[in-house]
């Protein structure tokens, strides 16, 4: 083992949260920060080009960990594909670039559970601090932050048809999912800057890295263990590859784990922090018995309704065959053409039944036929309506496969374990079909490709969901914060049972928020930075109208 290198703060993982913390903690030149990432810089063409998202999420590649779940008991024992970002920016470097905060009640629910400081009025200032909204500052949006957020241009008749069809089906139209009315159909906001993906690395890390001598980034090193001495964390151990010599990185103040909902609990367990029985089963000495680390896994399950198109209006015709080369060249040389688009500009937040206090379904309209994350190629023009259940009752686990840090952990989301989850997904199919059947689509709507006309009854729809449902990429909750001794973290994201260790990423959410999880993860890191540095929290927002 080589001689240790020391810093004030060591951050594990250069994903969305890690990039934010690296920026905010290193703003003081007297503070030294080391950011450690197992992947590379993630700055290639497919990452920068919004249209590259289809390639990034469908295959295991240098930017994608390429996880699979365990066989799902309620989904025909299927092992589901779980893409997660690897490299600078983490999943913000491979995601769909949708900027959504969730419903205000999501955060008020956290506060009502006893987590002071986590209500909507208290977290909104941190959303605004990170944001550079291209529409200008408003009570709901910030315009001075590094994270550029644009309005989708709705530059195709297809996106406008989806919104119009939603209205024809009886749903309200909303002008801003992140403002006073989430429920309804409308355009999405996106983390795209002048036709370029604006990941957390592009926003928070790259702009400051060259000018801050106190910020060090170590890439392509896997953190294999958190090091403790006398109940206090003093650093981490890294390994470049199996069989390589371990390196020690010391932290005089804190180690902050930002490895995500899959790998944060894995790293804690490998370090002896987790359920004692599980650790002993893998010959790992128990440092702190924390039974709920790796539990409480929640994710948005997704099901699709797909139609062929009678006109050449989708991503397929724009990029088919040799056109793909032209799209790439046009983007590389002029940053123009279809490469600027994520083909995901409109969506909806809807209720699956009466009596709900907020939407429990989210729709994503994709201007392409997207089967199995795009891994099954359909050579035809078409469109896809994704429907996911926003607040699943099912809870899953992340457990160790072995004590080898290079082995992927066992991911069991336990999808569709409750009748309410099955009912909501069934309604998601029905509502998507109802929208697709409206007159607004009549000029270009072709036959229903999936589920197809043979799937009509509730039992048939349930079988379709079991056979084709997939993740929509929003796992959270596996190292959750709470007020009880059994909760892995306290309200300031400190790991119970040890000193000098925090977790800051989507794993800390006690419950899933109603929407895409990237913006909330960035908010959590913004708030955590003030906690770590001992700064007072930002003044709560005064929002007079409900959102």
């Amino acid at each position: 083992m080589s001689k240790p290198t020391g810093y004030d703060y060591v951050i594990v993982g250069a994903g969305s949260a890690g990039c934010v913390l690296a920026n905010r903690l290193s703003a003081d030149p007297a503070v030294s920060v080391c950011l450690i990432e197992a992947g590379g810089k993630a700055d290639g063409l497919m990452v920068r080009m919004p249209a590259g998202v289809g390639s990034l999420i469908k295959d295991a590649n240098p930017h994608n960990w390429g996880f699979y779940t365990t066989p799902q008991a309620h989904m025909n024992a299927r092992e589901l594909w779980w893409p997660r970002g690897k490299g600078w920016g983490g999943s913000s470097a491979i995601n769909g670039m949708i900027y959504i905060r969730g419903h205000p009640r999501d955060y008020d629910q956290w506060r009502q559970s006893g987590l002071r400081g986590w209500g909507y009025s208290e977290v909104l200032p941190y959303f605004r601090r990170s944001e550079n909204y291209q529409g200008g500052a408003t009570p709901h949006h910030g315009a001075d932050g590094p994270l550029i957020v644009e309005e989708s241009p709705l530059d195709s008749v297809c996106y406008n048809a989806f919104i119009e069809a939603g209205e024809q089906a009886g749903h309200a139209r909303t002008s801003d999912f992140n403002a006073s009315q989430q429920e309804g159909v409308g355009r999405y906001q996106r983390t795209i800057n002048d036709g370029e993906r604006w990941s957390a690395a592009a926003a928070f890390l790259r702009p400051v890295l060259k000018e801050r001598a106190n910020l060090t980034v170590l890439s392509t090193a896997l953190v294999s263990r958190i090091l403790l001495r006398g109940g206090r964390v003093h650093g981490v151990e890294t390994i470049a590859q199996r069989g390589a010599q371990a390196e020690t990185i010391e932290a005089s103040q804190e180690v902050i784990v930002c490895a995500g909902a899959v790998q944060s609990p894995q790293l804690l367990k490998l370090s002896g922090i987790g359920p004692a029985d599980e650790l002993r089963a893998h010959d790992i000495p128990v440092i702190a018995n924390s039974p709920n680390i790796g539990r409480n896994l929640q994710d948005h399950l997704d099901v699709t309704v797909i139609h062929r198109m009678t006109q050449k209006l989708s991503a397929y015709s724009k990029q088919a065959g040799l056109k793909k080369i032209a799209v790439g060249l046009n983007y590389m040389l002029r940053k123009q053409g279809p490469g600027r688009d994520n083909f995901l500009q409109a969506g909806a937040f809807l209720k699956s039944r009466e009596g709900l206090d907020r939407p429990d379904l989210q729709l994503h309209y994709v201007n392409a036929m997207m089967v199995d994350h795009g891994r099954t190629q359909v050579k035809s023009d078409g469109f896809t309506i994704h429907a996911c259940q926003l607040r699943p009752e099912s809870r899953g686990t992340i457990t160790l496969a072995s004590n080898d840090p290079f082995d992927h952990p066992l991911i069991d989301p336990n999808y569709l374990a409750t009748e309410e989850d099955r009912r909501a997904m069934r309604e998601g199919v029905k509502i998507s079909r109802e929208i697709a059947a409206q007159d607004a689509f009549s000029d270009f709507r072709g036959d229903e490709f999936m589920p197809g006309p043979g799937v009509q009854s509730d039992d048939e729809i349930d079988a379709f969901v079991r056979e084709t449902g997939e993740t929509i990429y929003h796992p959270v909750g596996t190292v959750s914060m709470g007020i009880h001794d059994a909760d892995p973290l306290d309200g300031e994201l400190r790991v119970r049972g040890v000193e000098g260790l925090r977790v800051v990423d989507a794993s800390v959410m006690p419950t899933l928020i109603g929407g895409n999880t990237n913006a909330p993860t960035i908010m959590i890191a913004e708030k955590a930075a003030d906690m770590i540095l001992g700064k007072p929290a930002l003044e709560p927002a005064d929002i007079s109208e409900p959102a």
Side-chain angles (χ1 to χ4, degrees):
M1 186 176 293
S2 65
K3 183 179 178 180
T5 303
Y7 301 87
D8 292 320
Y9 297 99
V10 171
I11 303 168
V12 180
S16 297
C19 287
V20 173
L21 288 173
N23 179 302
R24 300 308 190 191
L25 299 184
S26 67
D28 181 352
V31 173
S32 61
V33 178
C34 180
L35 177 63
I36 307 173
E37 169 56 42
K41 293 184 177 181
D43 58 356
L45 174 65
M46 298 309 288
V47 171
R48 290 183 286 108
M49 182 173 67
V53 60
S55 297
L56 295 170
I57 64 170
K58 70 180 182 180
D59 298 312
N61 57 63
H63 310 304
N64 188 340
W65 284 96
F67 296 123
Y68 279 92
T69 71
T70 59
Q72 290 302 283
H74 309 287
M75 298 187 72
N76 300 345
R78 293 168 54 218
E79 297 179 9
L80 276 60
W81 173 246
W82 259 42
R84 306 306 301 159
K86 181 180 183 181
W88 292 16
S91 290
S92 75
I94 69 169
N95 69 0
M97 295 155 280
I98 300 301
Y99 182 86
I100 287 290
R101 297 172 182 170
H103 197 281
R105 281 282 297 130
D106 299 330
Y107 303 100
D108 290 343
Q109 183 176 325
W110 294 1
R111 181 175 58 194
Q112 289 162 3
S113 73
L115 288 166
R116 292 183 297 175
W118 290 98
Y120 183 66
S121 66
E122 295 153 315
V123 302
L124 179 56
Y126 288 100
F127 278 114
R128 296 182 76 249
R129 183 167 81 177
S130 68
E131 187 184 13
N132 185 344
Y133 175 56
Q134 300 299 277
T138 75
H140 296 276
H141 291 282
D144 298 321
L147 184 67
I148 291 174
V149 176
E150 68 161 25
E151 295 281 354
S152 294
L154 298 182
D155 54 5
S156 166
V157 296
C158 303
Y159 303 119
N160 290 284
F162 172 81
I163 295 172
E164 184 180 351
E167 292 182 290
Q168 290 172 350
H171 305 293
R173 181 167 184 158
T174 184
S175 60
D176 186 346
F177 292 129
N178 294 307
S180 60
Q181 178 187 318
Q182 187 195 55
E183 185 175 1
V185 293
R187 77 173 72 202
Y188 276 128
Q189 292 160 6
R190 313 184 296 184
T191 50
I192 296 177
N193 177 22
D194 188 24
E196 183 173 336
R197 173 192 291 274
W198 209 241
S199 68
F204 291 93
L205 183 60
R206 290 194 177 92
V208 302
L209 187 56
K210 289 184 179 179
E211 65 190 42
R212 295 185 184 176
N214 61 327
L215 174 58
T216 300
V217 180
L218 302 179
S219 278
T220 65
L222 182 75
V223 175
S224 55
R225 200 160 48 103
I226 299 163
L227 303 174
L228 294 98
R229 184 186 301 121
R232 180 174 178 83
V233 170
H234 66 89
V236 300
E237 180 183 270
T238 68
I239 303 177
Q241 59 187 2
R242 274 194 176 100
Q245 183 181 24
E247 304 282 341
T248 297
I249 310 295
E250 297 279 358
S252 62
Q253 297 296 319
E254 292 189 20
V255 168
I256 308 152
V257 177
C258 306
V262 174
Q263 288 155 301
S264 283
Q266 179 190 23
L267 177 58
L268 292 175
K269 291 179 181 184
L270 290 171
S271 306
I273 305 166
D277 291 347
E278 181 182 351
L279 304 187
R280 293 189 185 105
H282 293 286
D283 298 321
I284 299 172
V286 179
I287 303 297
N289 179 21
S290 186
N292 288 325
I293 289 177
R295 298 178 182 172
N296 193 43
L297 174 61
Q298 301 156 59
D299 185 34
H300 289 149
L301 184 66
D302 177 70
V303 66
T304 56
V305 171
I306 305 176
H307 276 265
R308 297 186 187 274
M309 282 184 179
T310 58
Q311 298 185 43
K312 296 181 178 181
L313 297 172
S314 75
Y316 174 75
S317 283
K318 294 180 180 181
Q319 302 184 61
L322 295 177
K323 288 182 181 179
K324 185 173 291 187
I325 299 174
V327 168
L329 288 173
N330 193 19
Y331 185 84
M332 283 192 298
L333 298 175
R334 293 182 287 272
K335 210 193 296 185
Q336 296 297 319
R340 296 170 60 91
D341 191 13
N342 63 349
F343 299 100
L344 179 55
Q345 297 187 24
F349 290 86
L350 307 173
K351 294 175 181 176
S352 68
R353 58 180 171 85
E354 294 182 1
L356 297 175
D357 65 348
R358 54 199 138 149
D360 66 330
L361 296 175
Q362 181 180 3
L363 306 187
H364 295 80
Y365 174 86
V366 179
N367 204 33
M369 297 180 72
M370 190 174 181
V371 180
D372 187 18
H373 309 274
R375 297 195 298 167
T376 300
Q377 187 175 10
V378 183
K379 297 182 178 181
S380 177
D381 281 284
F383 65 86
T384 302
I385 300 176
H386 290 261
C388 73
Q389 180 195 14
L390 292 175
R391 291 176 191 83
E393 294 179 346
S394 301
R395 296 292 185 269
T397 58
I398 302 289
T399 53
L400 295 176
S402 75
N403 61 13
D404 185 340
F406 289 92
D407 285 347
H408 288 177
L410 304 177
I411 303 169
D412 181 9
N414 194 28
Y415 292 123
L416 299 178
T418 75
E419 176 52 38
E420 173 60 15
D421 291 359
R422 295 188 286 271
R423 182 205 64 80
M425 294 301 293
R426 186 187 314 135
E427 291 303 311
V429 172
K430 293 178 180 180
I431 289 171
S432 298
R433 277 177 151 174
E434 183 181 28
I435 291 174
Q438 299 301 316
D439 288 344
F441 280 115
S442 60
D443 286 345
F444 59 86
R445 180 187 56 240
D447 295 339
E448 184 181 275
F449 179 75
M450 289 176 64
V455 176
Q456 297 296 332
S457 70
D458 285 358
D459 287 346
E460 289 167 342
I461 293 173
D462 288 350
F464 171 73
V465 173
R466 289 194 300 271
E467 186 58 33
T468 67
E470 297 284 353
T471 179
I472 198 73
Y473 324 119
H474 302 154
V476 308
T478 50
V479 194
S480 58
M481 59 177 167
I483 64 170
H484 304 292
D485 290 343
D487 295 317
L489 308 178
D490 65 16
E492 294 197 2
L493 310 181
R494 295 173 294 207
V495 177
R496 286 189 165 94
V498 297
E499 294 182 12
L501 180 63
R502 295 188 210 233
V503 177
V504 181
D505 54 33
S507 72
V508 312
M509 298 185 194
T511 53
L512 251 173
I513 60 92
N516 309 70
T517 50
N518 187 242
T521 300
I522 289 172
M523 175 277 292
I524 289 167
E526 288 275 21
K527 188 170 173 63
D530 282 354
M531 293 174 173
I532 293 165
L533 295 172
K535 294 182 177 181
L538 296 180
E539 194 70 23
D542 180 14
I543 300 297
S544 57
E545 56 181 345

